[in-house]
Amino acid sequence: MKIRTIVIFAAAVFAGALGGSLIGPRPAEAVAREIIDLQRDVTTLLQGQKDLSTQLNTDHTVLKTLVEQASDNVGRLNATMGSVQKSVQDVQANSGARLDTMSTQVQGLSDNLEEIKSRLGKLNQQLVDLQSAVQSIDAKVSGSAPAGGIPSKPAAGNDATSAPPAASNTASPAPSADMLYSNGLRDITSGKYDLARQEFLDYLKYYGTTDLASNAQFYLGEIAYHQKQYQDAVAEYDKVLTIYPKSFKLAPARLKKGMALIELGQKTPGIRELREVVRRYPGTEEERSARAKLKELGVAAVVG
């Protein structure tokens, strides 16, 4: 549009000059020279317009090619990002399942270690008691035996006060605590959750007051959590917190209770439990897990 205006203006100037030369008394040679200059200027303007049009067409073609290439690149990038995102989601899902399994196995090993410590402590106490009993018997024997030696044992059947043998107990004995607990740990770490649940229930039935009873209760919550029975898991974790206030499973029980509540969609009480873990158990692995979950939820770990 601008070039067209320039051309029209030049034509007008040319026409004016031509008219002036015809009207005015200027010499013919000067008029002819001006006409030639104007013709040259008009020719230059027309050539410039042609060159500019050609350049615009070329630039338009190049720009169109660049836009098409950019569009293709964006399409390929979107496809690549979609593939990467899917791969990341698959890795996260697999990692989460593996981490849950590893966490359970680590807890099982930790409990085995605690069980061994407990057994060693009990064995040590039994040895001390046995030593004391032996020393007491030695002292009694040394103080009460006659000079001729210890009297011989009376013949069987001659003791008028001997009592008849007690009737045998026909009730089947309870499985041993060690066997029940070890089998429960083995089955929960291998994914046999129903069998492990029954073994831990039996442990609590027969040995509910032992040092490892709270562990058995905690693992009932873990079994329910792994089976996505989150309401039952919350109830089982609650029993650890209320029945066994001195258990070393309090921190993981409160952490997993909060996780289960969040899985149930009860976000507010779940966040409250996670914040309690941060407040009560600083410096523990459970505190770090609670902080990470709260950060994922977009809430503060500590309320000011």
Side-chain angles (χ1 to χ4, degrees):
M1 186 70 185
K2 184 175 181 181
I3 299 300
R4 186 180 301 174
T5 302
I6 294 173
V7 172
I8 293 173
F9 176 74
V13 172
F14 175 74
L18 182 60
S21 65
L22 294 176
I23 296 173
R26 300 180 62 186
E29 183 179 353
V31 172
R33 187 165 51 251
E34 289 183 0
I35 291 173
I36 292 172
D37 292 341
L38 287 173
Q39 287 177 340
R40 185 172 59 252
D41 293 340
V42 170
T43 302
T44 302
L45 288 173
L46 291 174
Q47 184 63 40
Q49 180 187 12
K50 183 178 179 181
D51 294 341
L52 181 59
S53 176
T54 302
Q55 185 64 39
L56 288 175
N57 290 334
T58 303
D59 292 345
H60 176 73
T61 302
V62 173
L63 182 60
K64 183 179 178 181
T65 303
L66 291 175
V67 169
E68 291 175 351
Q69 290 177 351
S71 178
D72 292 341
N73 290 335
V74 169
R76 287 194 294 269
L77 182 60
N78 286 334
T80 303
M81 288 297 294
S83 177
V84 170
Q85 185 176 10
K86 185 177 183 304
S87 299
V88 170
Q89 290 174 349
D90 293 342
V91 169
Q92 288 177 341
N94 294 333
S95 298
R98 292 173 183 172
L99 286 174
D100 286 341
T101 302
M102 290 177 63
S103 176
T104 302
Q105 291 174 347
V106 169
Q107 288 178 350
L109 292 174
S110 175
D111 288 344
N112 279 331
L113 180 59
E114 292 294 330
E115 181 184 6
I116 292 172
K117 290 180 180 179
S118 177
R119 290 180 186 176
L120 289 175
K122 291 177 181 178
L123 287 174
N124 185 54
Q125 184 61 43
Q126 289 174 358
L127 288 174
V128 172
D129 294 342
L130 181 61
Q131 185 177 7
S132 299
V134 169
Q135 291 175 350
S136 176
I137 292 172
D138 287 343
K140 289 180 180 179
V141 170
S142 299
S144 60
I150 301 175
S152 62
K153 182 179 179 180
N158 293 335
D159 186 359
T161 62
S162 61
S168 61
N169 186 6
T170 58
S172 59
S176 71
D178 294 342
M179 182 184 71
L180 279 175
Y181 192 83
S182 299
N183 289 346
L185 283 179
R186 180 198 63 210
D187 291 330
I188 192 175
T189 53
S190 60
K192 300 176 182 178
Y193 296 129
D194 293 334
L195 183 58
R197 178 189 293 109
Q198 188 57 52
E199 287 161 343
F200 286 126
L201 285 173
D202 288 343
Y203 187 93
L204 291 174
K205 176 182 177 181
Y206 295 112
Y207 309 104
T209 59
T210 61
D211 295 336
L212 296 175
S214 64
N215 292 17
Q217 181 62 58
F218 173 78
Y219 281 117
L220 290 176
E222 290 289 270
I223 291 169
Y225 190 93
H226 282 294
Q227 293 182 324
K228 300 186 185 302
Q229 299 170 358
Y230 298 116
Q231 195 66 54
D232 293 339
V234 170
E236 300 294 356
Y237 292 134
D238 256 337
K239 290 179 183 178
V240 178
L241 299 174
T242 56
I243 300 176
Y244 306 99
K246 296 182 179 180
S247 171
F248 67 91
K249 288 292 185 184
L250 293 180
R254 192 173 293 277
L255 172 68
K256 296 303 289 288
K257 177 185 174 183
M259 298 286 195
L261 287 170
I262 291 171
E263 292 289 346
L264 288 170
Q266 301 177 24
K267 187 175 179 180
T268 300
I271 290 173
R272 183 167 57 247
E273 292 294 336
L274 295 180
R275 283 174 173 167
E276 279 295 297
V277 173
V278 173
R279 185 179 68 86
R280 296 188 182 204
Y281 311 106
T284 62
E285 184 62 33
E286 288 76 18
E287 183 223 4
R288 288 188 286 273
S289 298
R291 284 185 179 275
K293 186 63 176 180
L294 290 169
K295 183 179 180 180
E296 177 186 331
L297 295 172
V299 297
V302 179
V303 179

